[in-house]
Amino acid sequence: MDTDALLSYNWAIMAPEFTILGVATLLSVLDLFMGKNTSRRPLLWMALAGVAVAMAFVFAELDTDVTSILHDTYRLDFFSKAFKILLLLGGFLVLLLAADYRKKELQEYRGEFYYLFLTALLGAMIMASSADMITLFVGLELLSLSSYILAGIRKKSGKSNESAFKYVVSGGIATAITLFGMSYIFGLTGQTNLFDVVETLQEPVLLEHSFLLVFAFFMTFIGLSFKIAAAPFHMWAPDVYEGAPIPVTAFLSVVSKTAGFIILLRFILLTFIAAAGIDRDPLLVQVQPYVIVLAAATMILGNLGALRQRNIKRLFAYSSVAQAGYILVPFVSNSTQVFELIWFYLLAYIVMNIGAFACLQTLTRDAGSNDVSIFRGLFSRSPWLASAMTIFLLSLAGIPATAGFAGKFGIFMGALGPEPGHYVLAGIMMLMTLVSYVYYFNIIGLMFFRSGGTGGRRISIAPSIGAVLVFCAIATIGLGIMPNIALDFFFGQFDVNEFFMNTGHNH
């Protein structure tokens, strides 16, 4: 590619990615030359500023038409803009959590944490804008490799080392399976660009190899199911969540999971949307039973697993597994509603889950324990912290007037909407939501109706944690009472048809 061709591209549409890349590079250089005992606090503010500027660029691009560069491997469309907003919002809130994380083991590596966090975020953003299997995989690996290091960043902690090892092993297996499935798609079509793949799959000769196409779907879907911690590929999550620092756990629970659903939507839906399965029936219709079983198993195992947990981080790991099951339900309907349902629920999940982790970080630091008993008598020691945690738990449980209820209600009605309605799956979703009340309301009961805790002493809340709690609590209640605010923004700015429109090749 010559210089004229490079200069002809509209590089401005990659401003958010360039911002994150530039800040991550700058932080790594500065950290290299800073003294060992020098405070890394300035690096935090630079990282926060970089994420904020990247978010500003995304909002500035909202009115930009669908644009693709680099032979349609990078796309700026409704999908990329909508999900980058979620990624950057989650990233900003997690960085505020990290500002107050004071474990001694992390102090020495705080500089590494910031730029590794930004490179992981960059990988997720690349996935949101990718329209090619190669760039999708590069983004996925950039996110994964950075996450592996973040999970084990407390090098002197045995649990942190264990979590990193298990994460690397399970992640490597998932990557291999995903790549194996992608290789079949490339072998069948001879293309890596997703739009070229879609067009090639319409050719009659490929109908003779429909079995291989179904096999490729299962391989890629199973590999990506590891990434979102869907059952039965979720067993790494409790150990990794327990061993990783809480800001990293929050990142894996929210930002990394959002990225997993991004690649599922971008790759699975776009690639197989018009593909024919065995006997020439639509492939996505034929594989519905598998997706239904996967979603149901994820909801059931996640919620039942959480019932037995005393370690609060492991409890939230299983809760995160169950939430992944809820988000998988819209994939069954194969309607255009899948985008708005998943986007809204991920938005709700970001604010309620990061808010909950902000409370956990404050409590675990104060008590020096991860046992669920740290919530005993919390209301008497810190009424504001107990009230905020109650809001987040009620939202995670799906109680009305919270963001979690609005998201679950939309998913539930979406499962019943298309003909034939998926009544069994909707019933399992409702039943498992009721089961989740047991462990969520147990924590609320400990906070308000049990005495004890850490000697009855008051709990101080750091300013950065306070900011996260206030924002997340207001957003959780606001999205629950007025979900139309977010949905009107979604429909006002984004056109779902853009997702399937190829500007680069004029298909």
Side-chain angles (χ1 to χ4, degrees), residues 375-377 440-451:
F375 287 99
R376 293 177 67 93
Y440 289 135
F441 280 85
N442 177 53
I443 297 175
I444 295 175
L446 287 173
M447 291 191 294
F448 288 89
F449 305 114
R450 296 288 186 274
S451 60

Side-chain angles (χ1 to χ4, degrees), residues 49-100:
V51 174
V53 171
M55 177 75 87
F57 278 126
V58 173
F59 276 99
E61 294 173 343
L62 289 180
D63 295 328
T64 305
D65 294 331
V66 182
T67 310
S68 63
I69 59 175
L70 300 171
H71 298 288
D72 212 21
T73 58
Y74 180 94
R75 281 174 63 85
L76 181 69
D77 54 12
F78 109 89
F79 181 88
S80 62
K81 290 180 281 190
F83 283 92
K84 281 179 193 175
I85 289 172
L86 299 185
L87 293 171
L88 290 167
L89 173 63
F92 191 87
L93 293 173
V94 172
L95 280 173
L96 286 177
L97 286 189
D100 182 57

Side-chain angles (χ1 to χ4, degrees), residues 152-422:
I153 199 166
R154 291 189 294 155
K155 301 176 185 178
K156 298 177 183 178
S157 167
K159 282 190 175 294
S160 187
N161 292 335
E162 179 187 355
S163 73
F165 176 76
K166 290 181 177 179
Y167 198 15
V168 169
V169 172
S170 63
I173 294 171
T175 297
I177 294 173
T178 304
L179 201 57
F180 186 57
M182 286 182 172
S183 69
Y184 269 81
I185 296 172
F186 174 73
L188 288 168
T189 63
Q191 308 288 344
T192 59
N193 183 276
L194 300 185
F195 292 97
D196 287 336
V197 168
V198 172
E199 189 172 85
T200 307
L201 289 178
Q202 310 302 312
E203 297 179 2
V205 67
L206 280 181
L207 296 177
E208 302 172 8
H209 306 288
S210 55
F211 172 77
L212 292 177
L213 192 59
V214 173
F215 178 77
F217 171 87
F218 279 114
M219 285 295 101
T220 51
F221 203 94
I222 288 171
L224 295 175
S225 295
F226 274 93
K227 299 297 183 183
I228 61 172
F233 317 110
H234 68 290
M235 294 311 297
W236 60 270
D239 294 325
V240 173
Y241 280 39
E242 181 183 6
I246 283 186
V248 177
T249 304
F251 172 80
L252 296 176
S253 174
V254 173
V255 180
S256 183
K257 190 177 293 289
T258 299
F261 281 101
I262 284 173
I263 193 171
L264 274 175
L265 286 168
R266 175 68 88 177
F267 181 67
I268 298 294
L269 275 193
L270 182 58
T271 303
F272 297 102
I273 188 66
I278 300 172
D279 298 328
R280 302 195 177 189
D281 291 328
L283 186 147
L284 290 181
V285 174
Q286 287 191 341
V287 299
Q288 266 189 2
Y290 168 76
V291 181
I292 290 173
V293 170
L294 189 73
T298 304
M299 289 186 284
I300 292 169
L301 293 178
N303 282 301
L304 294 183
L307 290 175
R308 302 179 56 191
Q309 302 305 315
R310 292 288 303 174
N311 185 293
I312 191 64
K313 292 173 75 175
R314 293 183 71 88
L315 187 150
F316 269 83
Y318 280 104
S319 168
S320 179
V321 171
Q323 301 291 335
Y326 303 141
I327 306 173
L328 278 172
V329 173
F331 280 94
V332 177
S333 63
N334 292 330
S335 70
T336 54
Q337 280 188 314
V338 66
F339 295 100
E340 71 229 40
L341 293 176
I342 291 178
W343 184 84
F344 182 86
Y345 197 85
L346 285 172
L347 173 61
Y349 183 62
I350 285 172
V351 293
M352 61 190 179
N353 219 46
I354 291 183
F357 274 110
C359 295
L360 292 187
Q361 181 167 304
T362 301
L363 282 173
T364 54
R365 185 191 69 207
D366 182 77
S369 169
N370 288 324
D371 190 85
V372 72
S373 61
I374 61 176
F375 287 99
R376 293 177 67 93
L378 179 60
F379 182 73
S380 62
R381 293 180 286 134
S382 179
W384 292 110
L385 193 62
S387 300
M389 188 65 181
T390 302
I391 291 173
F392 304 134
L393 290 172
L394 291 177
S395 184
L396 286 164
I399 299 300
T402 63
F405 172 79
K408 283 183 181 175
F409 181 77
I411 291 175
F412 181 80
M413 296 307 295
L416 298 178
E419 292 296 335
H422 301 284

Side-chain angles (χ1 to χ4, degrees), residues 448-507:
F448 288 89
F449 305 114
R450 296 288 186 274
S451 60
T454 54
R457 65 175 180 268
R458 291 277 175 175
I459 298 175
S460 61
I461 302 175
S464 60
I465 297 295
V468 172
L469 292 175
V470 170
F471 174 82
C472 291
I474 292 174
T476 300
I477 296 297
L479 290 173
I481 298 175
M482 296 177 290
N484 57 297
I485 293 176
L487 292 173
D488 288 347
F489 170 77
F490 182 90
F491 290 117
Q493 297 291 337
F494 310 125
D495 179 8
V496 175
N497 292 324
E498 289 181 6
F499 181 76
F500 303 103
M501 184 174 67
N502 184 5
T503 59
H505 294 77
N506 297 317
H507 290 164

Side-chain angles (χ1 to χ4, degrees), residues 23-36:
V23 173
T25 305
L26 179 61
L27 293 187
S28 64
V29 173
L30 290 176
D31 184 56
L32 182 64
F33 289 100
M34 292 174 77
K36 184 176 181 179

